[in-house]
Amino acid sequence: MSWFEMQETRLVLHLHIQPGAKQTEIAGLYGDALKIRLAAPPVDGKANAALLAFIAQTFAVPLRQVSLKAGAASRRKTVIVENSPIDPASLLTPG
């Protein structure tokens, strides 16, 4: 299983989240998930809101095209991105 799946115009992302980091960034692969460090704390949904905003920015889509499908209270999350022009594989290639 890969950390992402393409389903027509929809991208399904499998993520491992580390909240409370110094800065928000992609930290590489963590098993079959993409690891993301979030500067937001895991309190009152702040980490989930920060994650969705970061994903929207990273995939160049409006926030309304990003949704949390599973894992609201877990480090392991599944996020859906609609109609992104960004190739997810490009996020892990240097340069």
Side-chain angles (χ1 to χ4, degrees):
M1 180 170 127
S2 176
W3 65 271
F4 69 91
E5 303 166 41
M6 290 296 300
Q7 299 176 349
E8 296 180 21
T9 62
R10 165 185 274 196
L11 181 60
V12 180
L13 307 176
H14 304 284
L15 307 174
H16 178 83
I17 306 305
Q18 179 188 342
K22 275 189 177 180
Q23 65 183 22
T24 299
E25 64 186 353
I26 294 172
L29 293 177
Y30 185 85
D32 62 353
L34 183 67
K35 183 174 182 179
I36 297 179
R37 294 185 182 116
L38 286 178
V43 178
D44 298 329
K46 289 181 182 177
N48 287 338
L51 172 65
L52 296 181
F54 177 71
I55 294 294
Q57 178 183 6
T58 301
F59 284 91
V61 297
L63 186 56
R64 68 179 177 274
Q65 290 178 217
V66 179
S67 60
L68 183 60
K69 181 178 176 186
S74 170
R75 285 180 178 248
R76 180 74 178 209
K77 301 185 186 296
T78 303
V79 173
I80 305 293
V81 180
E82 302 282 349
N83 299 313
S84 174
I86 305 298
D87 175 10
S90 71
L91 299 178
L92 294 176
T93 54

